[in-house]
Amino acid sequence: KLSNKFNVTPLMIWGDPGLGKTSAIYQAARKELRPGDKLITIKGSDLIGDADPIKKVMDSPENKFVVIEIKLSNENIDNLLGFTNQETGRIEFPGGGSNWRDLVRSKEIRGILYFDELNLVDSNMWLNQIQPFFDPQHDDHNGWIAPQWRVMASGNIGEKFKEESITFSDAFLSRVHNTYAMLDEHGWLDYVNKNKPDVDPWIIEYIADGIQNNNDWEMRFNDGNPSNDGASNRLNPPAPEGRAQV
């Protein structure tokens, strides 16, 4: 379903941390692979420094599908996004960032340009450095990204992220597809019961108790343990020795 969606319009996935938003985007990328294609992932940390992964990918003769993942919380985000030199009109990367923009303008390579933690972007960065990738009605959209590249983003939502979140115009939102990821406890338990994956029993009990008691609980870290404010201790079972807490 995701693959079909992003072939139509840019896709934004919103939800709580840890629900698999990034995993869903990589799953969609794998569905786009053609016979003989190699999936290549380039992350923001790969783009800072002396190495030039973009040139290596562009020069490689192999068939490929590329995912460029830019995490907007990256401390080098200004170097990663680059800026337009008003005198020359060229994109410059002041801290040695690699010019990934050449890659997403390439008509010879297919891929996904993926912005993670979109809730952290400020309005100036959004309008000048990111929105043109998403918005087909932007004056220079076709100059920013080639038509066989897809644009995706994910962001965290919820009360604790409200102060960080940017507000998008209704006109813009009408031109993108918004998907909201939610925890499906019943679906998860059904999957576990049918497929018998290697899941610790205490985790299964933890989720099952939450469903049984109709607790609208939120997974939190409390001295290394998931907790539920006001809920019984049954919803915060100790992890077996040698096992990490969720």
Side-chain angles (χ1 to χ4, degrees), residues 70-101:
I70 296 180
K71 194 177 289 292
L72 293 170
S73 61
N74 191 298
E75 61 182 8
N76 294 306
I77 191 61
D78 290 333
N79 295 341
L80 285 174
L81 292 178
F83 69 96
T84 302
N85 185 313
Q86 298 301 320
E87 294 183 1
T88 65
R90 294 179 58 83
I91 301 296
E92 297 182 359
F93 296 84
S98 184
N99 195 348
W100 52 269
R101 296 192 183 214

Side-chain angles (χ1 to χ4, degrees), residues 202-203 206-207 217-229 232-239 244-246:
W202 72 270
I203 298 178
Y206 180 78
I207 299 296
W217 43 266
E218 180 180 345
M219 297 287 278
R220 296 181 180 175
F221 286 95
N222 177 22
D223 296 329
N225 297 318
S227 67
N228 176 26
D229 293 347
S232 69
N233 288 332
R234 289 193 307 136
L235 291 180
N236 190 14
Q245 287 280 9
V246 174

Side-chain angles (χ1 to χ4, degrees), residues 44-114:
S45 56
D46 301 325
L47 298 170
I48 298 296
D50 297 331
D52 190 355
I54 300 300
K55 186 176 186 303
K56 181 179 179 180
V57 169
M58 295 185 71
D59 290 346
S60 170
E62 63 187 354
N63 295 327
K64 50 192 162 287
F65 189 91
V66 182
V67 178
I68 299 178
E69 178 183 342
I70 296 180
K71 194 177 289 292
L72 293 170
S73 61
N74 191 298
E75 61 182 8
N76 294 306
I77 191 61
D78 290 333
N79 295 341
L80 285 174
L81 292 178
F83 69 96
T84 302
N85 185 313
Q86 298 301 320
E87 294 183 1
T88 65
R90 294 179 58 83
I91 301 296
E92 297 182 359
F93 296 84
S98 184
N99 195 348
W100 52 269
R101 296 192 183 214
D102 286 344
L103 182 55
V104 301
R105 285 194 295 260
S106 170
K107 296 181 179 180
E108 308 299 323
I109 300 172
R110 298 183 307 127
I112 294 173
L113 174 59
Y114 168 44

Side-chain angles (χ1 to χ4, degrees), residues 104-105 113 132-134 140-147 149-151:
V104 301
R105 285 194 295 260
L113 174 59
F133 289 110
F134 283 87
D140 196 30
H141 172 74
N142 292 331
W144 284 62
I145 190 163
W149 277 79
R150 310 303 176 194
V151 189

Side-chain angles (χ1 to χ4, degrees), residues 55-209:
K55 186 176 186 303
K56 181 179 179 180
V57 169
M58 295 185 71
D59 290 346
S60 170
E62 63 187 354
N63 295 327
K64 50 192 162 287
F65 189 91
V66 182
V67 178
I68 299 178
E69 178 183 342
I70 296 180
K71 194 177 289 292
L72 293 170
S73 61
N74 191 298
E75 61 182 8
N76 294 306
I77 191 61
D78 290 333
N79 295 341
L80 285 174
L81 292 178
F83 69 96
T84 302
N85 185 313
Q86 298 301 320
E87 294 183 1
T88 65
R90 294 179 58 83
I91 301 296
E92 297 182 359
F93 296 84
S98 184
N99 195 348
W100 52 269
R101 296 192 183 214
D102 286 344
L103 182 55
V104 301
R105 285 194 295 260
S106 170
K107 296 181 179 180
E108 308 299 323
I109 300 172
R110 298 183 307 127
I112 294 173
L113 174 59
Y114 168 44
F115 294 98
D116 191 15
E117 298 182 334
L118 192 60
N119 54 291
L120 295 179
V121 70
D122 61 48
S123 57
N124 182 63
M125 181 183 294
W126 168 252
L127 291 172
N128 295 307
Q129 295 173 288
I130 299 177
Q131 182 175 350
F133 289 110
F134 283 87
D135 196 348
Q137 294 194 14
H138 188 275
D139 290 342
D140 196 30
H141 172 74
N142 292 331
W144 284 62
I145 190 163
Q148 76 277 10
W149 277 79
R150 310 303 176 194
V151 189
M152 293 183 168
S154 62
N156 297 318
I157 59 174
E159 192 67 27
K160 58 187 174 183
F161 298 106
K162 185 174 292 184
E163 294 182 1
E164 300 174 344
S165 298
I166 186 175
T167 300
F168 303 98
S169 70
D170 291 340
F172 169 75
L173 290 176
S174 69
R175 298 191 289 272
V176 300
H177 183 84
N178 280 285
T179 295
Y180 294 88
M182 300 178 65
L183 176 62
D184 180 0
E185 300 99 329
H186 294 276
W188 186 84
L189 283 176
D190 286 343
Y191 173 83
V192 170
N193 290 329
K194 291 177 182 177
N195 296 278
K196 308 297 184 183
D198 184 18
V199 178
D200 282 321
W202 72 270
I203 298 178
I204 299 174
E205 181 182 355
Y206 180 78
I207 299 296
D209 278 351

